[in-house]
Amino acid sequence: MKQSTFVKWGLLAFGLVLFTFVIRGSTRLFLGDRTATVLSAPVGLGALAVLVVLFVVALLSLVGLRPMERDIDER
């Protein structure tokens, strides 16, 4: 995985976590706490899945089994 792709996926996970808070907060105003939790859970699980994949990729890169590709060649 390239470094820029890794960063983009990290920003996506961060955005999904923020979106979970927005969904839960705005839904609580109209539908109640339980419904808000049910509606925000799939987005939160998606963010968790992205973070787990990024953790595994970072761990494999750290160990050296699958090195991270650089975007710009260092000279």
Side-chain angles (χ1 to χ4, degrees), residues 3 6-7 9-10 15 18-19 22-24 29 31 35 38 45-46 50 53-54 57-58 62 67-69 73:
Q3 287 178 344
F6 186 84
V7 171
W9 280 98
L18 288 179
F19 190 54
V22 169
I23 290 173
R24 188 166 181 178
L29 295 173
L31 299 176
T35 307
V38 168
L45 289 175
V50 171
V53 168
L54 288 177
V57 168
L62 181 69
M68 191 76 62
E69 298 174 18
D73 294 332

Side-chain angles (χ1 to χ4, degrees), residues 9 12-17 20 40-56:
W9 280 98
L12 173 71
F14 181 71
L16 286 174
V17 169
T20 300
S40 67
V43 179
L45 289 175
L48 179 65
V50 171
L51 288 172
V52 167
V53 168
L54 288 177
F55 176 75
V56 169

Side-chain angles (χ1 to χ4, degrees), residues 34 51 60 75:
R34 184 168 174 84
L51 288 172
L60 289 175
R75 296 176 188 179

